[in-house]
Amino acid sequence: MKDVGNDRADAAPAEARWGDDERGLVEAALGLLGIRNLVLAIHDPSFPSDDAEDIGRGSPNTDGGRRFLRFARDLGFNGVQLGPQGETSADNASPYDGTIFSRSTLSIALARLVEDGPSGALLRPESLREIVAGRPPGSEARAHHGHAYRAQRAALREAYASFEGRRRRDEPGELGELADLERRLDAFTRRNAAWLERDGLYGPLCAEHRSGWFHGWSGEPELDRRLYAPGPGEVVACGERRRALLDRYRDELRFYAFCQLLAHEQHAALRTVTAELGLKLYGDLQIGYSPQDAWAYQSVFLRGYLMGAPPSRTNPEGQVWSYPVLDPAQYEDASSGGLALVRARMDKMFDEFDGVRLDHPHGLVCPWVYAADAPDPLRAVQGGARLFSSPDLPEHPLLARYAIVSPAQLNRAVPRYADGWVTSLSPEQVGRYSVIFDTIARCAEARGRAISDVVCEVLSTLPFPLGAVLDRHGLGRFRVTQKADLDNPKDVYRSENAAPADWIMVGTHDTPPLWRLLDTWERASALGRQAAYLATRLAPSPAEEGAMARALASDPRALAQAKFADLFASPASNVMVFFADLLGMKEIYNTPGTVGDHNWSLRVPRDYERSYLEMRARGAALDLPRALALALRARGGAESVERGNLARRLERCPR
């Protein structure tokens, strides 16, 4: 390819727009490459905290968390993808098992409760110091969920007691501020009564029945198990029981609402910060339901079946999730039942975020279900079926009533979880599969959100009905390039197969960081194959592919930067980077299908600003200017002059 990058007359106007700072150059490169969103993915516990505020678990609401967001923006990221932010239990740190309405009180920054302000001066400074001093060793690197849960709960109890005590005493000089907090609490409670009551009652009832799972509640009244889903003849009794419980646990419910008010107000303040920074904030709508949600909304769920993950390329055995699935018999009335719950969730998400990631959207279109009462759940998952694509399966006769397709539209030569199990759909059938997505689209429009800011976590499998629904709404899928099959030109994870609407990334929170994979590839003598593939994607001309392949194969760190460059050189207009990949970390955040303290705990190193610059200089962390320069040189076309000049400027960024 001819190098015409020294044509200063053509380059001058563009360079004047770029500015001299690295962020400006990065943003210019993203524009030339057609990248609409460059998003950093990080979950709440992983944020760094300042030493004086660190309780052993991170939060974006802390001073340290906000500083990390500014760090990401200065690098050139224009969005942040958070994980699910629901309330979790003391013994389960998975954000994907959290509540769908209540926010995690673990993300409340306690330092805000010590300061003077709208919700401040409620926690004694010495209490915060004691909590910080008592955090477990190593918690700045790995969050300690159980310890943080107990410490946070004690601190919030103290803050609530302070609020109630001072309010009742009407302390001079405090009344105005406390009265304002009281008004905000009352308004918040009224506005969110529909979910606050249910979520607030679940904890006390678990204590009464000595079980954290409502199916394990025993003794009287047995009615508690279906308090919000009364059976025939139980409506009056359930109503009386609820009123009695609301009276008995009045103070517990007020405390619950108080904590939720703090969590919601701090999130609102975070949105102000991200908006001022120019960062779009993405939420995460998990496909699963917490135990209290399964209890509180059981009337909208299908009886006899649960949702799981079928055998797949990523998980050949399948996965037992034990999540309830919405009852399709209730889809006819959008004002009640399952669709009303979907609408309430989406309205809240679009009120609180600029965009939303849909976790496992298969579960919203063509969920894989299995018998809830099976003695061997894993075997049941493996023998499960698609809820709307099983018109005549002998093992699942009950699913025939929900079938959208006919037997003639099935390819029985493939497994029923395969993408090609359904072979064709009429427009009317696509509309029936799309009922929940249509609801989501209407919610997005009503809140002024673009449907393109709905991020669909579609990984290795894309069943035909799901693909048709995504096409209906112009939505893309995930392309996780570390999983690419280099022997299959049609593999879904190869970057050249991406479409503009797709989201492309090296890895996710469920995969090993790239820097760990480099060691694996090196031990397996696989660097050469990766290098050869990347050279076909990034070399400016075919004549240069061989030299580039040899250079990348001999330098794993250069190969890593090329792996990132491959994202920006792809047709996808949305790029996502997990924080461990950005910072050069090798530790794993989550290993799917496993349970333990090692999962969901990895944190950004306390000294990330210094360590990142050092590692980037050695090529051991993402060097965004370098990766973008590689991508710019890989692109030809009419704008090659401008791209070449910008690539040179990026390559001169200090390291």
Side-chain angles (χ1 to χ4, degrees):
M1 181 181 297
K2 182 181 178 182
D3 184 1
V4 290
N6 291 320
D7 188 339
R8 305 303 299 172
D10 290 343
E15 292 195 11
R17 296 194 303 270
W18 299 339
D20 296 322
D21 65 306
E22 180 176 307
R23 174 173 146 186
L25 294 173
V26 166
E27 291 175 343
L30 295 176
L32 283 180
L33 292 166
I35 305 300
R36 175 173 172 261
N37 294 298
L38 174 58
V39 173
L40 179 65
I42 180 171
H43 291 182
D44 282 26
S46 299
F47 277 88
S49 299
D50 291 348
D51 188 62
E53 62 181 353
D54 197 336
I55 67 168
R57 187 236 194 222
S59 164
N61 301 315
T62 63
D63 288 339
R66 292 181 177 183
R67 188 159 45 252
F68 183 72
L69 292 173
R70 288 193 292 273
F71 165 79
R73 185 68 183 110
D74 287 342
L75 291 178
F77 288 90
N78 57 24
V80 174
Q81 172 69 70
L82 300 178
Q85 292 187 304
E87 189 79 291
T88 53
S89 61
D91 57 357
N92 183 2
S94 172
Y96 291 92
D97 291 334
T99 52
I100 61 175
F101 292 117
S102 289
R103 286 193 153 275
S104 173
T105 52
L106 283 173
S107 289
I108 294 173
L110 295 183
R112 303 276 103 82
L113 307 187
V114 173
E115 305 162 348
D116 291 331
S119 302
L122 294 175
L123 184 66
R124 296 175 300 126
E126 52 268 33
S127 295
L128 178 57
R129 287 195 292 269
E130 289 173 6
I131 291 172
V132 169
R135 66 177 184 257
S139 58
E140 71 280 356
R142 286 276 182 182
H144 283 245
H145 176 78
H147 173 84
Y149 189 97
R150 293 185 293 273
Q152 189 87 340
R153 184 64 46 168
L156 293 173
R157 286 283 183 189
E158 179 184 321
Y160 177 68
S162 174
F163 164 62
E164 287 290 277
R166 287 155 55 189
R167 183 182 64 83
R168 289 166 183 161
R169 292 192 301 271
D170 288 346
E171 293 181 1
E174 301 284 353
L175 186 58
E177 196 171 275
L178 290 174
D180 181 59
L181 179 55
E182 175 76 13
R183 283 192 295 270
R184 299 197 324 264
L185 178 58
D186 287 346
F188 177 81
T189 302
R190 288 194 301 272
R191 189 167 60 251
N192 299 287
W195 58 266
L196 273 174
E197 177 185 306
R198 301 179 190 218
D199 283 4
L201 277 179
Y202 190 74
L205 284 174
C206 286
E208 265 196 34
H209 294 281
R210 299 181 181 180
S211 173
W213 177 233
F214 72 97
H215 286 300
W217 293 354
S218 58
E220 296 297 332
E222 195 267 341
L223 202 65
D224 287 351
R225 290 205 302 176
R226 51 187 180 278
L227 200 60
Y228 292 93
E234 295 178 334
V235 174
V236 173
C238 282
E240 292 175 348
R241 174 62 175 166
R242 285 199 302 271
R243 286 189 289 274
L245 290 170
L246 292 174
D247 182 64
R248 181 190 307 173
Y249 294 115
R250 183 183 296 111
D251 192 59
E252 278 296 302
L253 289 167
R254 183 171 164 83
F255 169 65
Y256 192 93
F258 170 81
C259 294
Q260 284 302 309
L261 171 68
L262 298 181
H264 281 75
E265 288 190 339
Q266 288 199 5
H267 178 76
L270 173 67
R271 285 208 66 198
T272 299
V273 170
T274 55
E276 290 173 349
L277 289 172
L279 284 170
K280 292 167 68 173
L281 196 62
Y282 289 83
D284 196 341
L285 190 96
Q286 75 268 29
I287 195 62
Y289 295 88
S290 69
Q292 60 243 63
D293 293 321
W295 167 76
Y297 304 104
Q298 59 187 284
S299 63
V300 308
F301 296 129
L302 180 64
R303 294 182 182 275
Y305 277 91
L306 295 171
M307 185 193 306
S312 69
R313 170 175 168 176
T314 304
N315 296 284
E317 290 190 342
Q319 286 185 298
V320 177
W321 287 347
S322 301
Y323 291 144
V325 61
L326 294 174
D327 182 359
Q330 301 183 31
Y331 284 9
E332 295 299 323
D333 184 0
S335 64
S336 64
L339 291 186
L341 183 65
V342 171
R343 191 175 65 251
R345 289 185 72 186
M346 296 312 305
D347 284 346
K348 190 171 188 290
M349 291 293 286
F350 286 126
D351 280 342
E352 297 175 354
F353 295 97
D354 303 305
V356 177
R357 172 188 182 272
L358 298 181
D359 172 52
H360 192 70
H362 309 60
L364 304 176
V365 174
C366 50
W368 182 261
V369 298
Y370 61 98
D373 59 355
D376 185 343
L378 181 58
R379 187 171 181 178
V381 164
Q382 294 167 349
R386 296 278 181 202
L387 177 58
F388 300 115
S389 308
S390 305
D392 60 353
L393 297 182
E395 315 96 293
H396 298 283
L398 295 180
L399 297 186
R401 72 185 69 174
Y402 306 117
I404 294 174
V405 295
S406 69
Q409 292 173 291
L410 302 180
N411 176 12
R412 299 178 194 272
V414 300
R416 53 181 177 250
Y417 54 78
D419 289 356
W421 171 250
V422 174
T423 60
S424 64
L425 291 172
S426 69
E428 185 273 335
Q429 288 174 315
V430 174
R432 292 176 63 190
Y433 273 107
S434 189
V435 167
I436 293 180
F437 261 75
D438 290 353
T439 301
I440 292 171
R442 286 192 291 270
C443 291
E445 182 180 8
R447 292 304 194 275
R449 303 287 183 260
I451 191 63
S452 58
D453 282 319
V454 173
V455 182
C456 297
E457 188 229 15
V458 177
L459 297 172
S460 58
T461 60
L462 180 62
F464 186 81
L466 178 57
V469 170
L470 295 185
D471 289 344
R472 176 184 175 98
H473 291 283
L475 293 170
R477 61 174 298 165
F478 275 22
R479 307 281 181 174
V480 187
T481 62
Q482 68 164 255
K483 297 183 176 184
D485 182 350
L486 304 186
D487 294 323
N488 180 8
K490 296 182 179 180
D491 186 67
V492 297
Y493 289 138
R494 290 171 67 124
S495 62
E496 66 266 34
N497 294 327
D502 290 340
W503 287 74
I504 192 167
M505 60 217 68
V506 171
T508 71
H509 65 262
D510 286 332
T511 62
L514 173 61
W515 310 100
R516 188 184 188 97
L517 278 180
L518 286 178
D519 294 340
T520 302
W521 290 339
E522 194 166 16
R523 287 194 299 269
S525 301
L527 291 178
R529 295 182 70 248
Q530 290 287 335
Y533 168 71
L534 290 170
T536 66
R537 298 285 300 129
L538 299 173
S541 70
E544 298 171 81
E545 288 181 14
M548 176 177 277
R550 289 189 294 273
L552 295 180
S554 65
D555 186 349
R557 293 178 178 178
L559 187 143
Q561 304 304 327
K563 198 73 175 172
F564 288 117
D566 183 39
L567 307 179
F568 298 105
S570 80
S573 60
N574 308 287
V575 175
M576 189 178 293
V577 179
F578 190 57
F579 79 91
D581 284 328
L582 166 67
L583 299 175
M585 303 174 71
K586 294 185 178 182
E587 298 85 355
I588 291 176
Y589 177 67
N590 175 55
T591 303
T594 65
V595 177
D597 292 339
H598 57 287
N599 276 2
W600 318 110
S601 63
L602 184 65
R603 297 184 68 182
V604 171
R606 183 78 61 81
D607 65 343
Y608 66 91
E609 291 175 287
R610 177 196 59 80
S611 64
Y612 170 74
L613 290 176
E614 290 181 357
M615 295 179 72
R616 175 175 129 167
R618 294 186 282 111
L622 168 57
D623 186 339
L624 195 52
R626 182 179 176 184
L628 288 168
L630 276 169
L632 286 166
R633 293 189 183 284
R635 292 279 189 92
E639 295 177 325
S640 59
V641 173
E642 189 174 355
R643 287 174 179 151
N645 288 328
L646 182 52
R648 277 185 284 277
R649 290 281 296 277
L650 288 163
E651 288 166 344
R652 292 199 296 269
C653 286
R655 290 177 172 83

